[in-house]
Amino acid sequence: MLFAVKMEVDLPADMDPQVRADTLAREKAYSQELQRAGEWVHIWRCVGQYSNLSVFDVADNARLHEILWNLPLFPYMTIEVTPLTRHPSDIAAS
Amino acid sequence: MLFAVKMEVDLPADMDPQVRADTLAREKAYSQELQRAGEWVHIWRCVGQYSNLSVFDVADNARLHEILWNLPLFPYMTIEVTPLTRHPSDIAAS
Amino acid sequence: MLFAVKMEVDLPADMDPQVRADTLAREKAYSQELQRAGEWVHIWRCVGQYSNLSVFDVADNARLHEILWNLPLFPYMTIEVTPLTRHPSDIAAS
Amino acid sequence: MLFAVKMEVDLPADMDPQVRADTLAREKAYSQELQRAGEWVHIWRCVGQYSNLSVFDVADNARLHEILWNLPLFPYMTIEVTPLTRHPSDIAAS
Amino acid sequence: MLFAVKMEVDLPADMDPQVRADTLAREKAYSQELQRAGEWVHIWRCVGQYSNLSVFDVADNARLHEILWNLPLFPYMTIEVTPLTRHPSDIAAS
Amino acid sequence: MLFAVKMEVDLPADMDPQVRADTLAREKAYSQELQRAGEWVHIWRCVGQYSNLSVFDVADNARLHEILWNLPLFPYMTIEVTPLTRHPSDIAAS
Amino acid sequence: MLFAVKMEVDLPADMDPQVRADTLAREKAYSQELQRAGEWVHIWRCVGQYSNLSVFDVADNARLHEILWNLPLFPYMTIEVTPLTRHPSDIAAS
Amino acid sequence: MLFAVKMEVDLPADMDPQVRADTLAREKAYSQELQRAGEWVHIWRCVGQYSNLSVFDVADNARLHEILWNLPLFPYMTIEVTPLTRHPSDIAAS
Amino acid sequence: MLFAVKMEVDLPADMDPQVRADTLAREKAYSQELQRAGEWVHIWRCVGQYSNLSVFDVADNARLHEILWNLPLFPYMTIEVTPLTRHPSDIAAS
Amino acid sequence: MLFAVKMEVDLPADMDPQVRADTLAREKAYSQELQRAGEWVHIWRCVGQYSNLSVFDVADNARLHEILWNLPLFPYMTIEVTPLTRHPSDIAAS
């Protein structure tokens, strides 16, 4: 089941550099593990923004929430979730 | 070059049924031709909305505008364009 | 899988009274059939508004879209979809 | 009398961990007590958000305010209240 | 039980003058009847706007919705409802 | 001359408890003095919010500003002012 | 008593040219009469907009509403009213 | 050349009282000097707000920016600029 | 004196094709004449939108308003005006 | 390929003066280097704002993101990106 997720990151200016570096490293590892598992299908950087547009393919709402809630950057993110489905004009759906 | 495009459709209630059917048929054919050409990479329906979230892979801004401007449904659409680029956590980019 | 859906209705002032009455009757029958089937779990009127707040329990995103897209009032509605999941404080979840 | 209440939580990044844990524990106990009493009828987590959508069944406006004002997380919440009533299509109302 | 209600009126430019005059007369009579009954406690004109700010004192949500839904101008109104309760600084409450 | 005033309060999380208690006490005394003087005609709590909806009856704009500017909580408030006048359907105006 | 008033005009595309010309002539005469009377103190065109920013000096709220409500263009206007008072830095107030 | 400028002030709660008093004194002197010079034509307090609505008459855009940029309160202000011109109904323009 | 101007065009669906073609031809000629005169310095199409971002270099506010007000498409446009000035980092300004 | 970029700067009130001065100097040098390289085509100050409107001419989305992400003021900026293309009325395009 597909969901578009827009994640905007806003790190505090006075964040401890070591905490920051560690959080970003954990975020990257976490994301890549889910990409390899096939649940985090796409991740694109929005140009000029500290934000990404992602597409998830998950079993259900509960699993999507579990993934997002455990993002190391979750406390610093504004997240927008859009449930998706097949479009009738999609050639892959014909 | 990648762009996310959100298209919201608002057809007039009093649209001639024949014109409507014809416009929708042309929209579908137009979209599928561009999908087959590899420029309209993804098209998803947003659940509960007469709208789609799409991703385009085009040569440049001019080509994206040409594609969108010539959508048969363009006069009835509200369109939002977000330029995308590779995300540093994308495993395909490693 | 649960979704909150807010539906706001805006009927054109010049809608044919017979078409209007027929559409509203079909909307009611459609809603009640889905309520009996257990997919349309809650429907509440928002006070002072021509709108409702509903909760759906459906198999997946595709089914929710199918239900909403086929609402007789769909062309006259503004719809907002919020995916829901169990809350850790929900006593039913303990 | 029914009300939909959307609660968004925003905890300060520098909140003392002990205060935080204590506040969350009190919030959970407070919510569950009201659920058992039948006033806090539904609580759902909004996917990808630190927020919930709840439905309350209370005697009057004054009681709803008393409940919300005394939430341990109240100082950290943005709250939206929507008064609800029976929908004419609700099969439970027939 | 008190509610603040903001009502904004937007009459179509091409409304039949007789229908318009009749609707406005019925709206006035309807409002005054509820004022005399003690349910429509205050009605003020917002300066420079075709809108009013009103306060209702009703038995419950259902009664407020019944009143608002049956306003002759309801189809032409945008309505905002705010549930109110006693303020701790209100001298009438001491 | 009547004005509706919406006051939303946002106290800093780290406000000194003594300063806070003192400010709230002064706010209450200030409000009640103006209520007794007949200038602060109504004050209602908005349900689930740290805010009130008030109605003032003052000599002119200057006096309203003087009252609001000197609220002990003024530095912590977001204030919205709506000038009011008699509504033609008000039975008290007939 | 001073008020800033922003008036945005939106004439229907299919307005009868004679009605339009007549309405605009009456609006101009009405405005100039109030300017000569000293109640409509300033009127400026907002650059690139079919709108004006005006300042009124009137006896009270009721008079301001009477003036605005009777504008020939009132049915086609979106109006925003801001009550003003003397600024402590105004040299005319020293 | 005329411009309407709306200035909203938001001073930090923990601003040093001496710095605050000094900044406000410099702001007042700066404003009054420009009023005397004929460039800051009007300044009104918006009722119930820490903000003003001003009108400037300056040689060009560059001069307006220079004036606003050097306001002692500039770092604490949200500023909105509206270019103005003569209104065809202005009796001073006839 | 420079101004950025964003123009969004919204032509009615039922516009007479001949009127439409004529209006667009006049708009193009009008724009090009002002470009040649050096007042309409830049005009760019916003990708995927029926809108443009333009930069004007005009004598004053009055001239900019005259230009925009007389655009053949003015009645169908939403216009946003931003006054510009030299940026201190502009190498052309060094 | 052209992009309009609006950059709004919001420096923390308590920023170390030396860090601030250094950051601003690096920002200026960075901007001027890109202007000389022909990628940062225009930079204008928005009047009365700590913001600029710029136009970039870059090879692709990736390059634009690289430029913006590395702005010394990036952590303090809100950035809005609008892809541009040739306008059919542009005389330079004939």
Side-chain angles (χ1 to χ4, degrees):
Chain A
M1 227 168 56
L2 297 173
F3 293 88
V5 180
K6 178 90 178 287
M7 308 179 204
E8 302 184 13
V9 182
D10 186 15
L11 297 177
D14 60 355
M15 199 176 181
D16 177 85
Q18 192 53 47
V19 171
R20 180 188 166 112
D22 174 60
T23 307
L24 294 179
R26 287 189 297 120
E27 177 80 14
K28 186 171 189 170
Y30 180 84
S31 169
Q32 295 193 333
E33 182 182 320
L34 288 162
Q35 289 178 58
R36 280 188 212 98
E39 289 185 308
W40 196 324
V41 186
H42 299 290
I43 179 169
W44 297 288
R45 174 68 80 198
C46 300
V47 169
Q49 315 294 333
Y50 196 164
S51 69
N52 71 72
L53 174 66
S54 290
V55 175
F56 289 85
D57 186 355
V58 291
D60 53 21
N61 286 351
R63 176 60 184 148
L64 180 61
H65 184 68
E66 185 184 38
I67 288 174
L68 297 177
W69 185 264
N70 291 301
L71 287 162
L73 286 174
F74 183 81
Y76 310 107
M77 281 179 166
T78 302
I79 291 180
E80 190 186 341
V81 174
T82 306
L84 302 175
T85 188
R86 282 280 170 128
H87 193 282
S89 297
D90 186 349
I91 55 173
S94 303
Chain B
M1 230 168 57
L2 297 172
F3 293 87
V5 180
K6 179 87 178 288
M7 307 180 203
E8 301 184 13
V9 182
D10 186 15
L11 297 177
D14 60 354
M15 199 176 181
D16 178 85
Q18 193 53 48
V19 171
R20 180 187 165 112
D22 175 61
T23 307
L24 293 179
R26 286 189 296 119
E27 177 79 14
K28 186 172 188 170
Y30 180 85
S31 169
Q32 296 193 333
E33 183 183 319
L34 288 161
Q35 289 177 59
R36 280 188 212 99
E39 290 186 308
W40 195 323
V41 185
H42 299 289
I43 178 168
W44 296 288
R45 175 67 81 200
C46 300
V47 169
Q49 315 293 334
Y50 196 164
S51 69
N52 71 73
L53 174 66
S54 290
V55 175
F56 288 85
D57 186 354
V58 292
D60 53 22
N61 286 352
R63 178 57 185 150
L64 180 61
H65 184 68
E66 185 183 40
I67 287 173
L68 298 176
W69 186 264
N70 290 302
L71 287 163
L73 286 174
F74 182 80
Y76 310 107
M77 280 178 168
T78 302
I79 291 179
E80 190 186 341
V81 174
T82 306
L84 302 175
T85 189
R86 284 278 170 128
H87 192 283
S89 297
D90 187 350
I91 55 173
S94 303
Chain C
M1 229 169 54
L2 298 173
F3 293 87
V5 180
K6 179 89 178 286
M7 307 180 203
E8 302 184 12
V9 182
D10 186 15
L11 297 177
D14 60 353
M15 199 175 181
D16 178 85
Q18 193 53 47
V19 171
R20 180 189 166 111
D22 175 61
T23 307
L24 293 180
R26 286 190 296 119
E27 178 80 13
K28 185 171 188 171
Y30 181 84
S31 170
Q32 295 193 333
E33 183 183 320
L34 288 162
Q35 288 178 57
R36 280 188 214 99
E39 289 185 308
W40 196 323
V41 186
H42 299 289
I43 178 169
W44 298 288
R45 174 67 80 200
C46 300
V47 169
Q49 315 293 333
Y50 196 164
S51 68
N52 71 72
L53 174 66
S54 291
V55 175
F56 289 84
D57 186 354
V58 291
D60 54 21
N61 287 351
R63 178 57 185 150
L64 180 62
H65 185 67
E66 186 184 36
I67 288 174
L68 297 177
W69 186 264
N70 290 302
L71 287 163
L73 286 174
F74 182 81
Y76 310 107
M77 279 178 167
T78 302
I79 291 179
E80 191 185 341
V81 174
T82 307
L84 302 175
T85 188
R86 283 279 171 130
H87 192 283
S89 298
D90 187 350
I91 55 172
S94 304
Chain D
M1 227 168 57
L2 298 172
F3 293 87
V5 180
K6 179 90 178 287
M7 307 178 204
E8 302 184 14
V9 182
D10 186 15
L11 297 177
D14 59 354
M15 199 175 180
D16 177 86
Q18 193 53 46
V19 172
R20 180 188 166 112
D22 175 61
T23 307
L24 294 180
R26 287 190 296 121
E27 177 80 13
K28 187 170 187 170
Y30 180 85
S31 169
Q32 295 193 334
E33 182 183 319
L34 288 162
Q35 289 177 58
R36 282 189 211 97
E39 290 186 308
W40 196 324
V41 186
H42 298 290
I43 179 169
W44 296 288
R45 174 68 80 200
C46 300
V47 169
Q49 315 293 333
Y50 196 164
S51 68
N52 71 72
L53 174 66
S54 290
V55 175
F56 289 85
D57 187 353
V58 290
D60 53 22
N61 286 351
R63 177 59 184 149
L64 180 61
H65 184 67
E66 185 184 39
I67 288 173
L68 298 176
W69 186 264
N70 290 301
L71 287 162
L73 286 174
F74 183 80
Y76 310 107
M77 280 179 167
T78 302
I79 290 180
E80 190 185 343
V81 174
T82 307
L84 302 175
T85 189
R86 283 280 169 129
H87 193 282
S89 298
D90 187 349
I91 55 173
S94 303
Chain E
M1 227 170 56
L2 297 172
F3 293 87
V5 180
K6 179 89 178 285
M7 308 180 203
E8 302 184 13
V9 182
D10 186 15
L11 297 177
D14 60 353
M15 200 176 182
D16 178 85
Q18 192 54 48
V19 171
R20 180 188 165 111
D22 175 60
T23 307
L24 294 180
R26 286 190 297 121
E27 177 80 15
K28 186 171 188 171
Y30 180 84
S31 169
Q32 296 194 332
E33 183 183 319
L34 288 161
Q35 289 177 57
R36 280 188 213 99
E39 289 186 309
W40 196 323
V41 185
H42 298 289
I43 179 168
W44 296 288
R45 174 67 81 200
C46 300
V47 169
Q49 314 293 333
Y50 197 164
S51 68
N52 71 72
L53 174 66
S54 291
V55 175
F56 289 85
D57 186 354
V58 291
D60 54 21
N61 286 352
R63 176 58 184 151
L64 180 62
H65 184 67
E66 186 183 37
I67 288 174
L68 298 177
W69 186 264
N70 290 302
L71 287 163
L73 286 174
F74 182 80
Y76 310 107
M77 279 179 167
T78 302
I79 290 179
E80 190 186 340
V81 175
T82 306
L84 302 175
T85 188
R86 283 279 170 128
H87 193 283
S89 298
D90 187 348
I91 54 172
S94 302
Chain F
M1 228 169 56
L2 298 172
F3 293 87
V5 179
K6 178 88 178 286
M7 308 179 204
E8 302 183 14
V9 182
D10 186 16
L11 297 177
D14 59 354
M15 198 175 182
D16 177 86
Q18 192 54 47
V19 171
R20 180 188 166 112
D22 174 61
T23 307
L24 293 180
R26 286 189 296 119
E27 178 80 14
K28 187 171 188 171
Y30 180 84
S31 169
Q32 294 193 334
E33 182 183 318
L34 288 161
Q35 289 177 58
R36 282 189 211 98
E39 289 186 309
W40 196 324
V41 186
H42 298 290
I43 179 168
W44 296 289
R45 173 67 80 201
C46 300
V47 169
Q49 314 294 333
Y50 197 164
S51 67
N52 71 73
L53 174 66
S54 291
V55 175
F56 289 85
D57 187 353
V58 291
D60 53 21
N61 286 351
R63 176 59 185 150
L64 180 61
H65 184 67
E66 186 184 37
I67 288 174
L68 298 176
W69 186 264
N70 290 302
L71 287 162
L73 286 174
F74 183 80
Y76 310 106
M77 280 178 167
T78 302
I79 291 180
E80 190 186 341
V81 175
T82 307
L84 302 175
T85 189
R86 284 280 169 127
H87 192 282
S89 298
D90 187 349
I91 54 172
S94 302
Chain G
M1 227 171 58
L2 297 173
F3 293 88
V5 180
K6 178 88 178 286
M7 307 178 203
E8 302 185 13
V9 182
D10 186 15
L11 298 177
D14 60 353
M15 199 177 184
D16 178 85
Q18 193 54 46
V19 171
R20 180 188 166 112
D22 175 60
T23 307
L24 294 179
R26 286 190 296 120
E27 177 80 15
K28 187 172 188 171
Y30 180 84
S31 168
Q32 296 194 333
E33 183 183 318
L34 288 161
Q35 289 177 59
R36 281 189 210 99
E39 289 185 310
W40 196 324
V41 185
H42 298 289
I43 178 169
W44 296 288
R45 174 68 81 199
C46 300
V47 169
Q49 314 293 334
Y50 196 164
S51 69
N52 71 73
L53 174 67
S54 290
V55 175
F56 289 85
D57 186 354
V58 291
D60 54 21
N61 286 351
R63 176 58 184 151
L64 180 62
H65 184 67
E66 185 183 38
I67 288 173
L68 298 177
W69 186 264
N70 290 302
L71 287 163
L73 286 174
F74 182 80
Y76 309 107
M77 280 179 167
T78 302
I79 290 179
E80 190 187 341
V81 174
T82 307
L84 302 175
T85 188
R86 283 279 170 128
H87 193 283
S89 298
D90 187 349
I91 54 172
S94 303
Chain H
M1 230 169 56
L2 298 172
F3 293 87
V5 179
K6 178 88 179 287
M7 307 179 203
E8 302 184 12
V9 182
D10 186 14
L11 297 177
D14 59 354
M15 200 176 180
D16 177 85
Q18 192 54 46
V19 170
R20 181 189 165 111
D22 175 60
T23 308
L24 293 180
R26 287 190 297 118
E27 178 79 14
K28 186 170 188 171
Y30 181 84
S31 169
Q32 295 194 333
E33 182 183 320
L34 287 162
Q35 289 178 58
R36 281 190 210 98
E39 289 185 310
W40 196 324
V41 186
H42 299 289
I43 179 168
W44 296 289
R45 174 67 80 199
C46 300
V47 170
Q49 315 293 332
Y50 196 164
S51 68
N52 71 73
L53 174 66
S54 291
V55 175
F56 288 86
D57 186 354
V58 291
D60 54 20
N61 285 351
R63 176 59 184 148
L64 180 62
H65 184 67
E66 186 184 37
I67 288 174
L68 298 176
W69 186 264
N70 290 302
L71 287 162
L73 286 174
F74 183 80
Y76 310 107
M77 280 179 167
T78 302
I79 291 179
E80 191 185 340
V81 175
T82 306
L84 302 176
T85 188
R86 284 280 170 127
H87 193 282
S89 298
D90 187 349
I91 54 172
S94 301
Chain I
M1 228 169 57
L2 297 173
F3 293 88
V5 180
K6 178 88 178 289
M7 308 178 203
E8 302 185 12
V9 181
D10 187 13
L11 297 177
D14 60 354
M15 199 176 182
D16 178 86
Q18 193 54 47
V19 171
R20 180 188 165 111
D22 175 60
T23 307
L24 293 179
R26 286 190 296 120
E27 177 80 14
K28 186 171 188 171
Y30 179 84
S31 168
Q32 296 193 332
E33 183 183 318
L34 287 161
Q35 289 177 59
R36 282 189 210 97
E39 290 186 308
W40 196 324
V41 186
H42 298 290
I43 178 168
W44 296 288
R45 174 68 81 200
C46 300
V47 168
Q49 315 293 333
Y50 196 165
S51 69
N52 71 73
L53 174 67
S54 290
V55 175
F56 289 85
D57 186 354
V58 291
D60 52 22
N61 286 351
R63 177 58 184 151
L64 180 62
H65 184 67
E66 184 183 40
I67 287 174
L68 298 176
W69 186 265
N70 290 301
L71 287 162
L73 286 174
F74 183 81
Y76 311 107
M77 280 179 167
T78 302
I79 291 179
E80 191 186 342
V81 174
T82 306
L84 302 175
T85 189
R86 284 279 171 130
H87 192 282
S89 297
D90 187 349
I91 55 173
S94 303
Chain J
M1 228 169 58
L2 297 172
F3 293 87
V5 180
K6 178 89 178 286
M7 307 179 204
E8 302 184 14
V9 182
D10 186 15
L11 298 177
D14 60 353
M15 199 176 181
D16 177 85
Q18 192 55 46
V19 171
R20 181 188 165 111
D22 174 60
T23 308
L24 294 180
R26 286 189 298 119
E27 177 79 14
K28 186 170 188 171
Y30 181 85
S31 169
Q32 295 194 333
E33 182 183 320
L34 288 162
Q35 289 178 57
R36 281 189 210 98
E39 289 186 309
W40 196 323
V41 186
H42 298 289
I43 179 168
W44 296 289
R45 174 68 79 198
C46 300
V47 169
Q49 315 293 333
Y50 196 164
S51 69
N52 71 73
L53 174 66
S54 291
V55 174
F56 289 85
D57 186 355
V58 292
D60 53 20
N61 286 352
R63 177 59 184 148
L64 180 62
H65 184 67
E66 185 183 38
I67 288 174
L68 297 177
W69 186 265
N70 290 300
L71 287 162
L73 286 174
F74 182 80
Y76 310 107
M77 279 180 167
T78 302
I79 291 179
E80 191 186 340
V81 174
T82 307
L84 302 175
T85 188
R86 283 281 170 126
H87 193 282
S89 296
D90 186 349
I91 55 174
S94 303

